[in-house]
């Protein structure tokens, strides 16, 4: 079923095309976070993105948030190179740029520069402002978060609901820089952001907590819920965080098992890079869907 309905083998639905478009524009928004920004970065992704966007019925789908976000990132990419006086016409033409501008409905800045105190100004606010103000932060000062603060974070995150309160999830904090670097290398998604990364959470679930076949994926459901509450707890205590997937092949699980001496009953839910942020840092805009795109009321 996964083979048939995921975007693994074909791009034969709008949703599959949108997944690729999102994957590629997200790489571009992350590319803009690097200091310095590398000229002509992510060329292959730009070519793919332009081709994928031209392969959908742009008039029908241009109001979708992910399409607007893709167009926006491409526009910024072009303008960044124009400002740098860097020729990219071999893979991104002026006609492509005009086509993009023509379909862009709203104009946003794709990456936002934040000051630390402003970024956390809503971390004790009402839930609406609190939730809206949390973002993935990939820029850390290097200062260590104390054990006592980590305990407070986990105490708060432990409020997460779980199936019959079985609470299968544990929070491991890795502080060994050599092992952190190995893990970042193995996982791939945090590459380029780990210079001052001195602590990384490995969120784990224990299969021992589940007892029938219907629960075979429950560790990931409970893990996902816990992950969100943990991200909120980190935000509440003014700690910058970026979750990093563990959608990895079996060999990576084995390497992780060896690195941390884990039994096979332990499943990795996610990694989370954590740290205090730099005084000033950039983050991605990460536009969210309008509710009309994913709220369906069934009568
Ligand atoms: C399960 C999961 C895995 C993620 N993996 C990565 C990753 O490997 N590298 C990365 O830089 N960001 C990763 N992210 C962060 C997403 O890119 C980010 O949540 C998304 O772009 C939305 O931005 P926001 O968190 O600021 O709302 C991950 C997020 C989640 C929830």
């Amino acid at each position: 079923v996964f083979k048939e309905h995921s975007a693994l083998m074909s791009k034969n639905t709008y949703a599959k095309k949108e997944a690729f478009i999102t994957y590629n524009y997200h790489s571009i928004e992350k590319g803009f976070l690097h200091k310095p920004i590398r000229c002509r970065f992510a060329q292959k992704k730009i070519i793919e993105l332009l081709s994928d966007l031209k392969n959908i019925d742009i008039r029908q789908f241009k109001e979708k948030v992910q399409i607007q976000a893709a167009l926006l990132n491409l526009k910024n990419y072009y303008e960044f190179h124009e400002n740098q006086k860097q020729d990219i016409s071999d893979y991104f033409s002026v006609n492509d740029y005009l086509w993009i501008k023509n379909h862009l409905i709203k104009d946003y800045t794709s990456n936002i520069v934040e000051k630390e105190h402003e970024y956390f100004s809503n971390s004790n606010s009402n839930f609406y402002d609190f939730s809206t103000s949390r973002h993935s932060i990939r820029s850390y000062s290097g200062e260590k978060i104390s054990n006592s603060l980590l305990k407070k974070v986990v105490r708060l995150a432990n409020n997460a609901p779980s199936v019959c309160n079985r609470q299968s999830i544990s929070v491991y904090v890795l502080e060994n820089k050599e092992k952190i670097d190995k893990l970042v290398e193995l996982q791939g998604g945090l590459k380029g952001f780990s210079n001052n990364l001195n602590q990384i959470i490995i969120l784990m679930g224990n299969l021992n907590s589940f007892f029938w076949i219907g629960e075979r994926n429950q560790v990931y459901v409970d893990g996902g819920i816990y992950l969100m509450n943990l991200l909120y707890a980190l935000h509440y205590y003014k700690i910058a965080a970026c979750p990093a997937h563990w959608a990895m092949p079996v060999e990576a699980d084995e390497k992780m098992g060896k690195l941390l001496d884990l039994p096979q009953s332990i499943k990795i839910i996610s990694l989370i890079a954590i740290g205090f942020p730099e005084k000033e840092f950039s983050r991605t805009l990460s536009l969210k869907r309008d509710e009309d795109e994913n709220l369906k009321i069934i009568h």
Side-chain angles (χ1 to χ4, degrees):
V1 177
F2 184 78
K3 203 167 152 192
E4 187 183 340
H5 294 290
S6 71
L8 177 70
M9 307 297 276
S10 64
K11 294 187 195 173
N12 57 356
T13 64
Y14 169 74
K16 291 180 185 180
K17 289 175 191 167
E18 192 196 84
F20 276 99
I21 288 170
T22 305
Y23 176 74
N24 280 332
Y25 91 67
H26 180 57
S27 292
I28 296 165
E29 62 179 1
K30 271 172 70 177
F32 276 120
L33 298 179
H34 292 297
K35 281 187 280 184
I37 299 166
R38 208 163 41 88
C39 279
R40 295 172 65 90
F41 70 92
Q43 278 181 50
K44 203 172 147 255
K45 301 204 169 196
I46 297 286
I47 294 166
E48 245 173 57
L49 196 47
L50 284 166
S51 145
D52 284 347
L53 281 167
K54 287 180 179 169
N55 252 319
I56 57 168
D57 179 355
I58 193 80
R59 267 169 302 173
Q60 186 186 350
F61 294 116
K62 74 176 178 186
E63 284 178 21
K64 299 264 188 201
V65 167
Q66 300 288 42
I67 302 304
Q68 283 297 308
L71 294 170
L72 175 70
N73 275 286
L74 282 168
K75 172 178 166 279
N76 285 333
Y77 186 94
Y78 190 91
E79 289 174 357
F80 166 78
H81 287 90
E82 202 172 41
N83 287 338
Q84 298 289 314
K85 303 203 174 5
Q86 284 279 333
D87 182 14
I88 55 169
S89 58
D90 50 322
Y91 62 97
F92 193 163
S93 71
V94 65
N95 283 342
D96 291 332
Y97 171 64
L98 295 174
W99 183 85
I100 284 157
K101 280 203 10 170
N102 193 27
H103 292 105
L104 204 58
I105 299 167
K106 292 180 201 159
D107 212 352
Y108 313 87
T109 351
S110 72
N111 288 69
I112 302 192
V113 179
E114 297 263 21
K115 297 216 168 21
E116 183 192 8
H117 61 282
E118 283 166 13
Y119 174 69
F120 288 121
S121 63
N122 280 313
S123 60
N124 287 339
S125 299
N126 63 68
F127 184 70
Y128 185 94
D129 293 339
F130 169 80
S131 169
T132 310
S133 70
R134 183 219 55 86
H135 303 282
S136 290
I137 306 302
R138 300 174 177 84
S139 166
Y140 316 100
S141 70
E143 186 192 338
K144 260 199 177 146
I145 300 153
S146 67
N147 290 359
S148 59
L149 187 51
L150 287 171
K151 275 178 158 224
K152 286 186 188 170
V153 168
V154 174
R155 197 174 306 144
L156 185 57
N158 283 351
N159 286 336
S162 61
V163 63
C164 49
N165 206 23
R166 273 183 249 162
Q167 305 183 61
S168 64
I169 306 299
S170 297
V171 180
Y172 284 45
V173 183
L174 181 63
E175 298 191 336
N176 176 318
K177 184 62 178 156
E178 211 176 297
K179 288 189 177 173
I180 291 176
D181 288 344
K182 270 196 190 148
L183 202 51
V184 168
E185 181 68 30
L186 178 66
Q187 191 267 351
L190 292 171
K191 254 187 215 162
F193 301 110
S194 61
N195 262 358
N196 287 329
L197 179 62
N198 292 326
Q199 285 162 303
I200 194 163
I201 291 176
I202 302 149
L203 198 64
M204 304 187 191
N206 191 341
L207 286 183
N208 289 176
S209 301
F210 304 100
F211 37 83
W212 59 75
I213 193 68
E215 291 187 326
R216 64 196 178 283
N217 296 319
Q218 194 63 41
V219 72
Y220 299 109
V221 176
D222 288 3
I225 292 170
Y226 192 96
L227 170 61
M228 187 69 252
N229 213 38
L230 179 57
L231 292 174
Y232 279 150
L234 290 160
H235 191 49
Y236 178 78
Y237 285 110
K238 300 184 168 46
I239 297 169
C242 180
H245 70 85
W246 193 253
M248 301 293 281
V250 179
E251 303 83 68
D253 275 333
E254 285 163 5
K255 281 188 187 159
M256 174 75 106
K258 275 197 195 128
L259 194 70
L260 303 179
D261 198 15
L262 299 173
Q264 280 194 331
S265 54
I266 295 298
K267 289 287 158 201
I268 312 292
I269 308 298
S270 164
L271 309 183
I272 309 162
I274 54 170
F276 294 110
E278 289 185 290
K279 292 279 166 252
E280 195 175 283
F281 57 88
S282 294
R283 65 165 177 85
T284 57
L285 176 66
S286 299
L287 278 178
K288 303 299 189 217
R289 285 191 203 284
D290 291 335
E291 63 283 4
D292 294 343
E293 279 190 41
N294 64 341
L295 170 67
K296 308 258 184 286
I297 296 175
I298 301 163
H299 298 284

